[in-house]
Amino acid sequence: MRGLMAGTALIALMTGAAHAAPAPDPLQSPMWDMQAERLFGHDRVVFDPRVHIAVPMLAENQHVFPVTLDARALPDVRRIVVLVDLDPIPVPVDFVPGKAAPWLGLRIKLDQRTPVRVAAQTADGTWHVAGLWVDAAGGGCSAPPASRAHGDWAVHLGEVRGAVWHGTDGGGAAVTRLRFSVRHPMDTGLVDTIPAYNLETVRVTAGGETMAQMTVSGSMSEDPAFTLLLPAGETRPITIAMRDSNGREFTGRLP
């Protein structure tokens, strides 16, 4: 009987560990528990000041909201997710740095006042999270893009513009900075008569070697723009390969 009770207690302990509640949210978001369970499952989650997110505290334009994330203080970052708790499409980008630094600049949409977070996963499976509340007027995901009103989006669909700079980062370390944008309406499917249509994957290579990969959604801004930090001294030709939700593929090349 004692052995049976010990075995039952062990099973209960294991079950409790497997279904442990997510880390308490310092931002006290009403959606944190659900979003954390959906994104991180049973992985360990910690709120970590080594992860940095830079955003305006007030969204002057909720259709084009700049976010810069920096997880370079963490060891061996494998994956970074941007999470917007209260957006109808809460994950604008899922970023796998590869040879690029775990640093990214991008532009997203905000549908209302919401926490905006960055979650970086290290090699041990732990998610390191940072975030803050941002005030927004609303409607960023439920209004048609400007290109729909102008009617020229199909003419310029998939056009890529970009540039590369060699210099130093804020700490004086040498870096190669890549910035590029692509013409795309990034329709969310939340506007009447306009179906969802957005980029889905982005892959950046240098000389054929993968530098970074991203999975993106319709909550990225129209004509999305990205800034990455590549290894210092990288001079090989850069290719940006993209595919959208209609299966169209676009490629941009920087010499």
Side-chain angles (χ1 to χ4, degrees):
M1 184 67 174
R2 184 177 300 171
L4 178 60
M5 291 178 63
T8 303
L10 178 59
I11 292 172
L13 180 62
M14 292 174 63
T15 303
H19 295 85
D25 180 20
L27 302 181
Q28 300 182 337
S29 165
M31 294 294 289
W32 167 249
D33 288 349
M34 188 193 78
Q35 300 288 19
E37 182 178 359
R38 183 177 67 86
L39 279 176
F40 312 130
H42 301 311
D43 293 341
R44 180 170 177 255
V45 178
V46 297
F47 292 93
D48 195 329
R50 292 176 294 175
V51 178
H52 296 281
I53 176 172
V55 297
M57 296 303 296
L58 174 65
E60 295 183 358
N61 184 346
Q62 62 269 28
H63 305 287
V64 184
F65 184 73
V67 177
T68 302
L69 60 93
D70 187 353
R72 289 176 293 174
L74 297 176
D76 203 2
V77 175
R78 302 295 179 85
R79 183 180 168 200
I80 301 176
V81 172
V82 174
L83 170 63
V84 184
D85 286 25
L86 303 182
D87 264 11
I89 306 174
V91 179
V93 64
D94 189 333
F95 173 46
V96 178
K99 295 290 185 178
W103 185 102
L104 181 66
L106 67 158
R107 304 183 304 200
I108 66 175
K109 301 168 186 168
L110 295 181
D111 212 49
Q112 58 181 303
R113 182 176 185 266
T114 178
V116 178
R117 308 180 195 260
V118 173
Q121 187 180 40
T122 47
D124 64 357
T126 299
W127 289 95
H128 304 258
V129 181
L132 40 75
W133 279 92
V134 174
D135 284 327
C141 293
S142 53
S147 59
R148 292 286 186 181
H150 297 158
D152 65 346
W153 68 272
V155 176
H156 300 285
L157 183 68
E159 291 180 355
V160 180
R161 296 183 178 183
V164 178
W165 296 268
H166 299 280
T168 59
D169 63 10
V175 294
T176 298
R177 188 182 301 268
L178 165 66
R179 180 173 173 81
F180 66 93
S181 64
V182 56
R183 291 294 302 273
H184 203 286
M186 300 300 288
D187 294 314
T188 61
L190 302 175
V191 180
D192 288 345
T193 73
I194 301 179
Y197 180 44
N198 56 272
L199 288 178
E200 289 186 331
T201 61
V202 179
R203 181 170 177 257
V204 178
T205 60
E209 182 180 14
T210 299
M211 296 287 107
Q213 298 183 80
M214 289 176 275
T215 301
V216 300
S217 74
S219 55
M220 287 287 299
S221 69
E222 177 187 6
D223 300 337
F226 306 90
T227 305
L228 291 86
L229 299 183
L230 305 183
E234 178 60 70
T235 58
R236 292 174 294 179
I238 291 173
T239 299
I240 302 155
M242 293 160 286
R243 187 183 70 246
D244 71 16
S245 55
N246 279 2
R248 291 185 173 91
E249 297 184 347
F250 314 101
T251 302
R253 294 183 176 86
L254 300 175

